[in-house]
Amino acid sequence: QVQLVESGGGLVQPGGSLRLSCVASENIFNFNIMGWYRQAPGKQRELVATINVGGITNYADSVKGRFTIYRDGAEKTVWLQMNSLSHEYTAVYYCNVQLLRRNYWGQGTQVTVSS
């Protein structure tokens, strides 16, 4: 059973930055894809960014140029660097990995952008 532990959420002012972390319980290069999703109040969960086993990244149009996803195998961690945050990025952010056609999710970390 893959376990994912997220951290790094919190309250940030508009224009600020946060870095989310997701630590996996096993070698991250076992995963086909690692990524971040978010769910805002009253909305469906949506993709934010992914990175595949080859290191190719993919971003939602709404975060391109603002967010960066990256990883480190030795630390079994994938990060999401979020810059120039605005109110619409307020959501619970979830780490996701895909392994052998199964999806695994972290518990979520709240990001609130507010002045």
Side-chain angles (χ1 to χ4, degrees):
Q1 183 75 10
V2 176
Q3 295 184 347
L4 304 170
V5 179
E6 300 134 331
S7 60
L11 175 64
V12 63
Q13 291 187 344
S17 299
L18 280 176
R19 188 179 74 160
L20 306 182
S21 302
C22 173
V23 181
S25 59
E26 61 180 82
N27 182 354
I28 64 171
F29 295 106
N30 291 338
F31 306 135
N32 304 104
I33 296 177
M34 303 184 76
W36 289 93
Y37 289 70
R38 67 184 176 196
Q39 188 165 17
K43 295 187 177 181
Q44 291 189 330
R45 193 172 298 187
E46 62 178 3
L47 180 145
V48 176
T50 62
I51 183 167
N52 72 7
V53 65
I56 296 173
T57 56
N58 180 54
Y59 296 93
D61 287 343
S62 60
V63 307
K64 286 180 180 176
R66 293 175 183 247
F67 290 10
T68 303
I69 186 170
Y70 60 103
R71 64 186 180 185
D72 185 287
E75 298 196 29
K76 301 181 183 178
T77 301
V78 61
W79 290 273
L80 184 69
Q81 177 67 44
M82 307 187 293
N83 298 327
S84 302
L85 288 165
S86 53
H87 297 288
E88 57 261 38
Y89 294 108
T90 293
V92 178
Y93 285 72
Y94 296 90
C95 180
N96 168 270
V97 301
Q98 295 179 15
L99 174 65
L100 300 176
R101 286 176 282 185
R102 285 190 63 181
N103 277 292
Y104 297 88
W105 296 91
Q107 79 283 1
T109 185
Q110 176 71 47
V111 171
T112 302
V113 184
S114 175
S115 54

